[in-house]
Amino acid sequence: MELTGKIIAVLPPQSGVSGRTGNPWMSQEFVLETHDQYPRKCCFRVFGEDKIKQFNIQSGEELTVSFDIDASEWQGRWFNRINAWAVNRNVQQPAVPVEEPAAPFAQPAATFPPAAEPAGEGSADDLPF
């Protein structure tokens, strides 16, 4: 899945040591806001110190983030994880619509052609109206 928008928050990195493997790990979360009519916010995670450095995501950047969604259960509750796997910086700025000012005293355009003269009796048009 992909989402395009502006990075509005860069949360501090988290790190630790895996209890299963004993290897160190690092992750960092970022908040992206879309440019839709009703903007949405998405908090996504980048896992791994190498990816965090490779992506080098900064606040205020315009990005397209490719991510996977996964859920896990802990003590009977379910939690979603949105994990980014690619970041694209080749994003065009959203276009801002420009409104034309209304002309004062503008005349409305005619919507129908002028009525034709009625045809005489016995014409090819037999409609009664």
Side-chain angles (χ1 to χ4, degrees), residues 112-125:
F112 297 102
E117 292 296 320
E121 294 286 320
S123 69
D125 186 5

Side-chain angles (χ1 to χ4, degrees), residues 1-4 32 44-46 51 55 63-69 82-88:
M1 299 179 79
E2 286 187 346
L3 200 56
T4 299
L32 180 134
F44 65 92
R45 177 175 84 148
V46 176
K51 288 226 187 236
F55 293 163
L63 302 173
T64 296
V65 178
S66 300
F67 57 89
D68 292 323
I69 300 175
I82 300 173
N83 299 313
W85 53 269
V87 170
N88 183 1

Side-chain angles (χ1 to χ4, degrees), residues 67-97:
F67 57 89
D68 292 323
I69 300 175
D70 192 22
S72 59
E73 184 265 336
W74 184 70
Q75 296 184 352
R77 294 189 61 192
W78 286 88
F79 299 90
N80 290 321
R81 284 191 310 262
I82 300 173
N83 299 313
W85 53 269
V87 170
N88 183 1
R89 286 183 167 78
N90 296 329
V91 178
Q92 294 181 356
Q93 294 291 335
V96 177

